[in-house]
Amino acid sequence: MRHQNIEFGEALRILAQKAGVELSQASKQDSDKRSKLHAVNRLAASWYQERLKSSEGAAAMDYLKRRGVSPEMIDTFQLGYSPNRGNPLKNYLSGMGASEADAIEAGLIYRNDEGRTWDFFRDRLMFPIHDRQGNVIGFGGRQLTDPAPDAPGYNPKYINTAATPIFDKRSSLYGIHRAHSAIRESNTGIIVEGYMDAIAAHQYGYTNVVASMGTALTENQVSQLKSLATNFILALDPDTAGQEATLRSLEASWKVIGDQSASRGRSQGILYQRDPHHPQHSRAPRRQRP
């Protein structure tokens, strides 16, 4: 769990497969559920890819071309498009034998209080989000037009899959499945804000780059990165929002590092140790027992 920063159930499943051990019923049920959600997300990602390369994905493809994204990166990151018509994904998944309940639980289909269901993502450039093992755990969708915030029916520029049994935005890093080896090998990770920033970096050979998906780094994300390397560079936007995100990211980073320092028996947090002017730095050291 600590080495790969994965949940207990996932670690148990991986080790059981390696050792040839049969999981207990409760563990097997949890593993089966995760496998089903991975599978339905994988189907959706492939379908979105096909839609991007079809005539109805022309506007999304034009946007990618304007942003300079190469065809190789489109395939590498499995970019796609969600149509703005009916419920085509819902119908496709049903035709492929996927359970509607699993699609709802995966966040691909929305169900209201009256029981009506429809495709959650519509008319958006789709960014599949993967875990470190390469499983599709969720999606981000970018609106292709930028209406005014006060426009009727306004939708945010980016939306993500809601929290599911396999996806939590605060614990996920975009591009980690492509970057983890390079981060480990170089002992350095670079964190950017958005999907497009991460893709652009990989396109130009900077394969140790991940994105925090438009938010400041969280403690869970920092913990995951700390399992790979010890050096990190925050390359966030220079605007006010980016500066605030940088400060919040540093706070989360220091907290994780400080907690790890404390767990090793250090009497002071690493932040205080590096700041000779901090009041705590001037405290007398604790008297050691014989």
Side-chain angles (χ1 to χ4, degrees):
M1 288 173 61
R2 293 180 179 178
H3 181 66
Q4 297 191 22
N5 195 45
I6 56 180
E7 297 297 327
F8 174 79
E10 184 70 7
L12 189 64
R13 183 187 64 79
I14 292 172
L15 293 176
Q17 288 180 343
K18 290 183 177 180
V21 174
E22 184 176 353
L23 295 175
S24 67
Q25 186 62 30
S27 299
K28 188 174 186 303
Q29 288 176 350
D30 177 68
S31 179
D32 288 347
K33 169 58 68 178
R34 296 176 67 85
S35 295
K36 287 180 179 179
L37 297 182
H38 288 151
V40 72
N41 277 337
R42 186 165 56 249
L43 283 173
S46 296
W47 186 80
Y48 287 140
Q49 281 183 280
E50 293 175 358
R51 302 279 65 75
L52 176 64
K53 296 179 180 180
S54 71
S55 58
E56 59 186 342
M61 189 66 82
D62 286 343
Y63 172 81
L64 291 172
K65 290 179 179 178
R66 291 197 304 272
R67 294 295 301 268
V69 180
S70 69
E72 291 76 18
M73 288 296 103
I74 291 174
D75 290 337
T76 295
F77 285 90
Q78 296 180 272
L79 305 187
Y81 171 71
S82 56
N84 188 24
R85 56 176 174 84
N87 295 297
L89 177 63
K90 173 184 170 181
N91 297 333
Y92 170 77
L93 294 175
S94 176
M96 294 297 292
S99 163
E100 184 176 271
D102 289 340
I104 293 171
E105 192 167 11
L108 295 167
I109 295 175
Y110 179 79
R111 180 171 58 194
N112 65 10
D113 294 337
E114 288 75 38
R116 290 184 58 243
T117 58
W118 57 83
D119 291 358
F120 179 73
F121 294 100
R122 291 175 177 269
D123 193 26
R124 290 180 179 270
L125 176 63
M126 299 299 295
F127 299 85
I129 301 168
H130 302 76
D131 62 17
R132 196 185 300 186
Q133 289 72 42
N135 299 305
V136 181
I137 56 176
F139 293 87
R142 189 198 192 281
Q143 198 172 33
L144 294 174
T145 56
D146 297 325
D150 58 350
Y154 170 73
N155 290 315
K157 182 186 293 186
Y158 284 96
I159 59 175
N160 294 100
T161 300
T164 75
I166 61 172
F167 177 71
D168 175 12
K169 182 179 178 180
R170 294 179 58 82
S171 300
S172 304
L173 290 160
Y174 182 71
I176 190 66
H177 67 304
R178 307 293 306 182
H180 68 90
S181 295
I183 293 174
R184 188 185 295 278
E185 291 170 3
S186 64
N187 195 32
T188 301
I190 301 174
I191 300 96
V192 296
E193 280 191 47
Y195 307 114
M196 297 297 293
D197 294 337
I199 292 171
H202 280 254
Q203 181 168 321
Y204 287 94
Y206 297 92
T207 55
N208 60 334
V209 177
V210 295
S212 60
M213 297 188 286
T215 62
L217 278 175
T218 67
E219 292 178 33
N220 290 341
Q221 291 170 333
V222 173
S223 294
Q224 185 175 170
L225 290 168
K226 283 293 294 178
S227 71
L228 297 172
T230 57
N231 303 306
F232 298 95
I233 299 169
L234 294 176
L236 307 181
D237 291 347
D239 56 16
T240 301
Q243 293 175 11
E244 292 176 352
T246 300
L247 291 174
R248 294 197 302 273
S249 298
L250 290 172
E251 290 174 357
S253 303
W254 283 122
K255 181 170 178 57
V256 172
I257 294 170
D259 289 346
Q260 290 178 348
S261 299
S263 68
R264 297 189 187 101
R266 297 181 183 177
S267 60
Q268 296 178 339
I270 191 168
L271 179 59
Y272 298 146
Q273 292 176 17
R274 294 189 179 186
D275 184 359
H277 303 293
H278 195 283
Q280 181 152 334
H281 190 79
S282 61
R283 293 179 182 175
R286 293 181 180 179
R287 183 173 299 173
Q288 299 294 320
R289 292 185 178 180

